[in-house]
Amino acid sequence: QVQLVESGGGLVQAGGSLRLSCVASGRTFSSYTMGWFRQAPGKEREFVAAIRWSGGNTYYADSVNGRFTISRDNAKNTVALQMNSLKPEDTAIYYCAADGTWRDLIDGYPDYWGQGTQVTVSS
């Protein structure tokens, strides 16, 4: 069982930066693929970024590639999402997710979800 708690959301102007963090409970954190998803008002939840258990492989949605960076610290059971050059269209609730399988997480079917943190980008 894994529990995920996000933090770091807030209000920022377009062009600014935010750093989201997710703390995971559970002794097998280091074996999980971790990721971030987001859901904007009136839209479906979408994949944002993923990182393998080793941290050696990452993958991003086209809409954030080059602006967002996902990282993890297995010693601290944390995964972070550094968001730079934010745009109003990045406004959404951001969710941390975990799964034992890379493919399941990328496809949007992780085993575990956090409660979400709001990110609002003003124009």
Side-chain angles (χ1 to χ4, degrees), residues 51-106:
I51 186 166
R52 286 195 187 272
W53 67 271
S54 65
N57 199 356
T58 57
Y59 180 65
Y60 298 92
D62 289 343
S63 58
V64 306
N65 197 21
R67 300 188 296 123
F68 291 10
T69 302
I70 189 171
S71 61
R72 68 188 293 163
D73 184 340
N74 288 340
K76 297 181 179 180
N77 281 13
T78 59
V79 60
L81 185 69
Q82 178 66 42
M83 305 185 295
N84 298 329
S85 303
L86 283 162
K87 305 175 182 179
E89 51 263 44
D90 294 319
T91 295
I93 299 174
Y94 283 71
Y95 297 91
C96 180
D99 196 273
T101 306
W102 174 262
R103 190 72 257 169
D104 283 351
L105 188 139
I106 297 294

Side-chain angles (χ1 to χ4, degrees), residues 2-10 20-25 34-39 45 79 92-98 110-119:
V2 176
Q3 292 186 330
L4 306 171
V5 179
E6 303 98 331
S7 62
L20 305 183
S21 293
C22 173
V23 179
S25 64
M34 301 297 296
W36 289 91
F37 290 75
R38 66 186 182 186
Q39 187 167 19
R45 190 175 301 187
V79 60
I93 299 174
Y94 283 71
Y95 297 91
C96 180
D111 289 335
Y112 304 103
W113 293 97
Q115 84 289 349
T117 185
Q118 177 71 48
V119 171

